[in-house]
Amino acid sequence: MTAFLRQETLYIRRRSQLLRDSAREEDSAAVRNYLRLRLALLQQRYCVTLDQLSLKSRPASLRSASRLTVEGDSPRCMSRSMSIGMAQTGSQSIEGPKGPPPAGSVVPTQQAEASKAIVGGTSIGENYAFSGVHHIFDQHADSVTMVKFAHNDQGLLACSSLDGTLSICQVAEGEPRVLHTLRHHSAGVTGFDWSSTNDLLLSCGEDGAICLWSSTTGSCLRTVSDQAGAHVLSCLFHPLNSNWAVLGNSRGLVQVLNISTGHYPKGGTSKVAGQVTALTFDSSGKTLWAGDDKGIIISFLFDLGSGGLRKGKRCVVNEGAAITSLSARAWASREAPNPTLLVSATCNALLLYRVVDKEGGLRLKRKFNVAHMYQPVRSTFCPLMSFRQGACVVSGCEDCSVWFLDVERDTRPLINRLQGHAAPVLGVTFNYNESLLATSDATGLVIVWKRQ
């Protein structure tokens, strides 16, 4: 019976992957009904949230649920919201994972025939070998601080730069090209985020401005100033409701912003010790982690209805070492079925933490030596979970290379290095199926690598 249940759950998860590419907008009523049932099964068994499923594979009613309406903007600029929780309606938050899975719950296993079919019989090192450079972008005149592929999209890539601009590029369809150059910030752009439906971009900068953009037209839909008049160093959308955004500034404030109204809600601002340099949510949107330039990570519990923040746990990574990147994942690997946090810090370290409680408490699991002392280097989990033993992450590095690490290996965790940049590598991002990797450096160069 246990084996049957395991195969059943693996089948459901595999179907979710396949439908990312095959589902169409004009699906029949029977297919739409199937998709609703599949969503319900995934939420019931895995606590999978809406942001973890492909936009293309959602019913129309669910696709519109996370969209955002800006008050005062015309319908031509913004999609009408059918929000699962407009910022001031007081609606209840969607339940998600609250910590390590209970004993006896279904977790990933090595009996993963579907995953084997995806990646073939290659080793984990061969799986992250690259055939060479797919394209090089050089439209930015200063450091590209961040690169990020759109959610569940093979080739839509955004870049932010200290030259004060952002760019949106298409790298998968036809000849790679720059679709839009976004100009509104008067100083360097420090970070950005895609909305769950990819129709919006949120950016922040050293000018203290938070800008909301249409990714289809490249136009700026709204600008909000930091309430303390400080540099805004990090920003992200809430994973379940794009009406909420979270910002981190140079005065140590973690701030929730209702992006649809431009207002900061009461109870949505909290103070930490240093400049807030990195932010990330867990997949449920209930737990937020903020890293500062003093080497401390603070967890917060987020209230989806009111936008309120409540401090959780404090973790000292390394005193005086800035946290430059945070990335959360529900499972690190099939052998480590616990929520984990990947941390880049300016102490020549890439660290993997296990999330140990419902308040976002952290316990160090592994530490890796990566050349990183001065630059805002970022890292991320590789999106596909391999059937093999191990879990891979990719990180920028100040030695001008891109590092691939198996965080489950006790010895020789470095499985590959890409060398093509002539300056410290700052940003790294995979598209959803790992066919393309984009990296950026301190001179403004963006390289898109193609997997074998």
Side-chain angles (χ1 to χ4, degrees):
M1 184 65 179
T2 302
F4 173 77
L5 290 174
R6 179 175 294 169
Q7 292 298 323
E8 178 191 20
T9 55
L10 290 173
Y11 168 77
I12 293 173
R13 292 178 66 83
R14 177 59 178 146
R15 287 295 300 163
S16 177
Q17 291 176 336
L18 290 174
L19 282 168
R20 287 176 178 172
D21 295 320
S22 63
R24 302 189 302 272
E25 298 293 338
E26 62 272 18
D27 288 328
S28 66
V31 173
R32 288 197 299 271
N33 185 52
Y34 166 71
L35 293 176
R36 292 189 187 97
L37 291 173
R38 179 175 65 88
L39 175 59
L41 285 170
L42 287 169
Q43 287 180 311
Q44 180 180 1
R45 186 171 294 278
Y46 300 107
C47 295
V48 171
T49 51
L50 298 182
D51 65 305
Q52 294 171 291
L53 300 177
S54 169
L55 173 63
K56 293 182 179 179
S57 66
R58 298 181 198 169
S61 60
L62 291 177
R63 284 197 303 272
S64 61
S66 58
R67 295 194 176 183
L68 174 151
T69 300
V70 174
E71 292 184 5
D73 288 320
S74 69
R76 291 185 297 113
C77 294
M78 302 299 297
S79 304
R80 289 294 180 188
S81 174
M82 296 174 63
S83 173
I84 39 182
M86 276 295 289
Q88 294 181 336
T89 61
S91 60
Q92 295 180 349
S93 59
I94 296 177
E95 291 296 320
K98 297 183 178 180
S105 63
V106 177
V107 297
T109 74
Q110 296 184 53
Q111 309 302 315
E113 300 300 328
S115 295
K116 291 179 183 180
I118 293 175
V119 299
T122 57
S123 70
I124 200 164
E126 292 170 327
N127 202 44
Y128 289 104
F130 284 76
S131 58
V133 173
H134 176 62
H135 192 74
I136 296 176
F137 290 100
D138 60 356
Q139 67 270 19
H140 292 289
D142 205 340
S143 295
V144 174
T145 54
M146 186 176 184
V147 286
K148 191 172 184 179
F149 278 102
H151 302 293
N152 296 318
D153 191 285
Q154 190 167 339
L156 194 60
L157 174 71
C159 316
S160 62
S161 173
L162 291 183
D163 66 7
T165 67
L166 300 98
S167 57
I168 301 175
C169 310
Q170 178 56 253
V171 299
E173 300 173 2
E175 184 69 20
R177 61 201 184 278
V178 178
L179 300 177
H180 305 289
T181 299
L182 313 182
R183 306 178 188 275
H184 191 79
H185 287 279
S186 59
V189 181
T190 52
F192 69 90
D193 194 21
W194 290 94
S195 68
S196 60
T197 52
N198 297 330
D199 54 346
L200 300 171
L201 275 176
L202 181 72
S203 66
C204 61
E206 295 175 341
D207 56 356
I210 303 96
C211 297
L212 183 70
W213 308 86
S214 166
S215 61
T216 55
T217 66
S219 59
C220 184
L221 304 174
R222 163 156 281 166
T223 302
V224 180
S225 297
D226 180 77
Q227 61 180 336
H231 296 178
V232 185
L233 306 178
S234 52
C235 66
L236 75 165
F237 281 110
H238 189 277
L240 297 185
N241 188 345
S242 294
N243 294 291
W244 291 128
V246 181
L247 319 169
N249 74 12
S250 59
R251 295 189 182 179
L253 294 182
V254 179
Q255 309 165 92
V256 177
L257 172 66
N258 183 337
I259 198 67
S260 64
T261 65
H263 297 150
Y264 294 91
K266 184 178 180 180
T269 299
S270 186
K271 185 81 166 61
V272 300
Q275 301 181 36
V276 184
T277 50
L279 296 165
T280 193
F281 272 108
D282 69 350
S283 60
S284 72
K286 288 187 170 183
T287 306
L288 169 74
W289 289 275
D292 66 21
D293 66 340
K294 296 186 180 296
I296 300 170
I297 300 174
I298 303 290
S299 67
F300 295 89
L301 301 182
F302 183 88
D303 185 277
L304 184 58
S306 67
L309 291 176
R310 179 170 67 84
K311 276 188 179 180
K313 298 295 182 65
R314 180 177 183 269
C315 174
V316 179
V317 174
N318 190 301
E319 262 188 70
I323 308 300
T324 59
S325 175
L326 294 173
S327 181
R329 183 160 174 167
W331 289 324
S333 73
R334 300 182 189 280
E335 292 74 41
N338 298 297
T340 52
L341 195 70
L342 184 66
V343 180
S344 292
T346 57
C347 54
N348 289 324
L350 180 68
L351 307 104
L352 190 71
Y353 284 87
R354 178 184 170 189
V355 182
V356 295
D357 56 43
K358 297 178 181 180
E359 293 193 335
L362 302 174
R363 180 181 302 154
L364 181 63
K365 181 179 179 181
R366 296 292 304 276
K367 180 179 179 179
F368 307 92
N369 293 324
V370 175
H372 179 198
M373 282 295 293
Y374 308 105
Q375 299 282 349
V377 170
R378 298 180 186 270
S379 58
T380 185
F381 288 99
C382 296
L384 292 183
M385 183 180 290
S386 173
F387 72 92
R388 309 175 187 87
Q389 291 186 349
C392 281
V393 301
V394 60
S395 174
C397 186
E398 290 179 2
D399 70 358
C400 308
S401 64
V402 183
W403 285 38
F404 291 82
L405 297 157
D406 181 352
V407 295
E408 292 298 311
R409 284 191 187 181
D410 293 328
T411 59
R412 295 181 146 188
L414 181 64
I415 60 174
N416 195 11
R417 284 177 67 190
L418 300 181
Q419 296 177 318
H421 290 277
V425 179
L426 307 184
V428 291
T429 180
F430 261 118
N431 64 355
Y432 79 97
N433 65 0
E434 293 187 358
S435 61
L436 296 172
L437 170 73
T439 58
S440 65
D441 67 29
T443 66
L445 202 68
V446 176
I447 300 179
V448 181
W449 309 80
K450 191 170 185 178
R451 187 169 157 182
Q452 286 182 349

